[in-house]
Amino acid sequence: MDKIDHIAIQVKDIRKAVNWYMKNFKCDKIYADDTWAFLEFQNIKLALVVNDQHPPHFAIIDDKVHSYNDTVKHRDGSISKYTKDLDGNYVELLKYEDNN
C-alpha cells in the first residue's frame, strides 16, 4: 500500500509560518531555512514552501522513483519526481535514501 509522506503548502514567509504552526499545533520542526521547512505531526509531515521553489502538492512514497526519468535529488538526500493527476494537482513521487 502506498503511503502519503507529506503535504506541501505555499507560504509567504517560512520563518513566520514555522513559528505560527509550532505555537498553535503540536509538531516538531525537522528542518527550516528561508525557502523550505518541514514539520512533523503525529500522523503526517507538512512542508512549507515558497511559491518560486515548489508547487503545492502531496507526496507519496514510491520505491520505484529511481526508474523514472527527470528525478531530482533534494537537499535532504531524497529523490523525487513531480507529476500531475488527472485534474492538474501536483503529486510528488518520493523516496528517501534510507528507505531501501
Side-chain angles (χ1 to χ4, degrees), residues 84-95:
K84 289 184 180 181
D85 68 11
L86 295 175
D87 295 304
N89 299 298
Y90 281 97
V91 179
E92 181 181 20
L93 306 174
L94 175 70
K95 181 176 183 347

Side-chain angles (χ1 to χ4, degrees), residues 23-62:
K23 177 181 173 189
N24 290 286
F25 301 100
K26 292 180 182 176
C27 59
D28 294 320
K29 179 173 61 175
I30 298 172
Y31 179 85
D33 65 24
D34 290 335
T35 63
W36 179 73
F38 220 22
L39 304 176
E40 186 168 29
F41 291 76
Q42 183 176 2
N43 61 337
I44 198 163
K45 291 176 271 194
L46 177 66
L48 306 174
V49 299
V50 294
N51 68 356
D52 62 344
Q53 295 283 321
H54 299 279
H57 65 274
F58 69 96
I60 296 175
I61 298 295
D62 184 347

Side-chain angles (χ1 to χ4, degrees), residues 2 4 35 66 86:
D2 292 324
I4 293 178
T35 63
H66 288 291
L86 295 175

